[in-house]
Amino acid sequence: MSKVAGSGKVVIADLQAQRVDFAVQNGFAHAGFVVPCKRSQNIDEKLENARDTARLASQVQIKNGELSREYDRVFECTGAEVCTQSAIYATRAGGKTIIVGMGSPVQTLPLSAALSREVDIIGTYRYANTYPNAIDLVAGKHPLLPDLERLVTHRFHGLDRAPAAFELAANTSDEQGELVLKVVIRTSEEQAMTQ
């Protein structure tokens, strides 16, 4: 969506290399990086890990050796406290951090880092008022929109397979080690309608 909305460069961050590679290889992002998984014992360690992650984000090579530096807009979609902290640190002065992820209801955030650099923190409720725009976007087959069918990595046929589908959807990879993104269940009624 960011590419369609006019973002010059889209960088994705994830804990899993497979997801980052998928996003870049399939045109969902220009570049990406794998966030190191570090455990923190206290708030000082959490904030230091967040600063380290933001530093890593600023060193992502986009193309032709160009570094990403700080970001105009950062969308934090996990809800994890350290990710929200990292998002604030990675946003450039005067930029915007958009919090989409709904994690813990109480988080410690580096407000002084946001205030001193005039970073706007914007909260948005996941999926609120997005369906009409999303439907129009997909129906119009916008030229900058990547092939969304690629997001569907696994398909199940029949509602009797729903438990297995939901079990798979809760994982990041299947039994063969293949990436799991979106899992679709097709009912027998849908199959009859499409034939």
Side-chain angles (χ1 to χ4, degrees), residues 10-43:
V10 176
V11 176
I12 185 172
D14 200 291
L15 293 171
Q16 295 183 306
Q18 267 188 305
R19 288 176 179 267
V20 171
D21 292 344
F22 176 91
V24 173
Q25 291 167 6
N26 289 284
F28 291 92
H30 295 99
F33 76 101
V34 178
V35 177
C37 188
K38 296 180 182 176
R39 298 284 178 210
S40 305
Q41 300 302 318
N42 57 52
I43 191 60

Side-chain angles (χ1 to χ4, degrees), residues 3 7-11 24 29-32 59-69 71:
K3 289 171 103 176
S7 294
K9 296 172 187 77
V10 176
V11 176
V24 173
H30 295 99
Q59 297 300 309
V60 173
Q61 289 197 358
I62 308 292
K63 53 185 167 188
N64 303 329
E66 178 186 356
L67 297 179
S68 53
R69 307 280 179 216
Y71 298 89

Side-chain angles (χ1 to χ4, degrees), residues 76 78-81 100-107 126:
E76 197 302 296
T78 68
E81 182 178 53
V100 180
M102 294 180 61
S104 172
V106 177
Q107 296 189 11
R126 221 183 284 214

Side-chain angles (χ1 to χ4, degrees), residues 25-192:
Q25 291 167 6
N26 289 284
F28 291 92
H30 295 99
F33 76 101
V34 178
V35 177
C37 188
K38 296 180 182 176
R39 298 284 178 210
S40 305
Q41 300 302 318
N42 57 52
I43 191 60
D44 291 330
E45 287 181 14
K46 286 181 182 180
L47 292 174
E48 186 57 36
N49 286 342
R51 283 189 290 273
D52 288 346
T53 299
R55 276 191 285 275
L56 286 173
S58 73
Q59 297 300 309
V60 173
Q61 289 197 358
I62 308 292
K63 53 185 167 188
N64 303 329
E66 178 186 356
L67 297 179
S68 53
R69 307 280 179 216
E70 292 178 311
Y71 298 89
D72 296 330
R73 307 281 185 276
V74 177
F75 290 83
E76 197 302 296
C77 301
T78 68
E81 182 178 53
V82 70
C83 295
T84 305
Q85 295 162 347
S86 297
I88 292 169
Y89 286 126
T91 304
R92 71 162 176 80
K96 298 180 186 317
T97 300
I98 299 92
I99 302 174
V100 180
M102 294 180 61
S104 172
V106 177
Q107 296 189 11
T108 300
L109 301 179
L111 289 181
S112 61
L115 295 172
S116 64
R117 296 179 305 116
E118 297 182 337
V119 171
D120 293 337
I121 300 173
I122 301 168
T124 182
Y125 186 68
R126 221 183 284 214
Y127 311 121
N129 308 312
T130 61
Y131 289 110
N133 290 341
I135 291 168
D136 290 345
L137 186 65
V138 172
K141 299 189 190 272
H142 194 285
L144 292 177
L145 191 67
D147 181 4
L148 299 178
E149 274 295 313
R150 292 179 181 253
L151 291 172
V152 179
T153 56
H154 295 77
R155 298 175 191 276
F156 287 79
H157 299 284
L159 287 178
D160 59 320
R161 302 280 294 136
F166 278 101
E167 184 177 330
L168 180 62
N171 295 300
T172 56
S173 59
D174 62 17
E175 291 177 357
Q176 291 76 39
E178 297 295 319
L179 181 64
V180 175
L181 290 174
K182 301 296 177 194
V183 178
V184 172
I185 303 168
R186 293 196 65 164
T187 65
S188 55
E189 291 173 5
E190 280 182 294
Q191 291 167 339

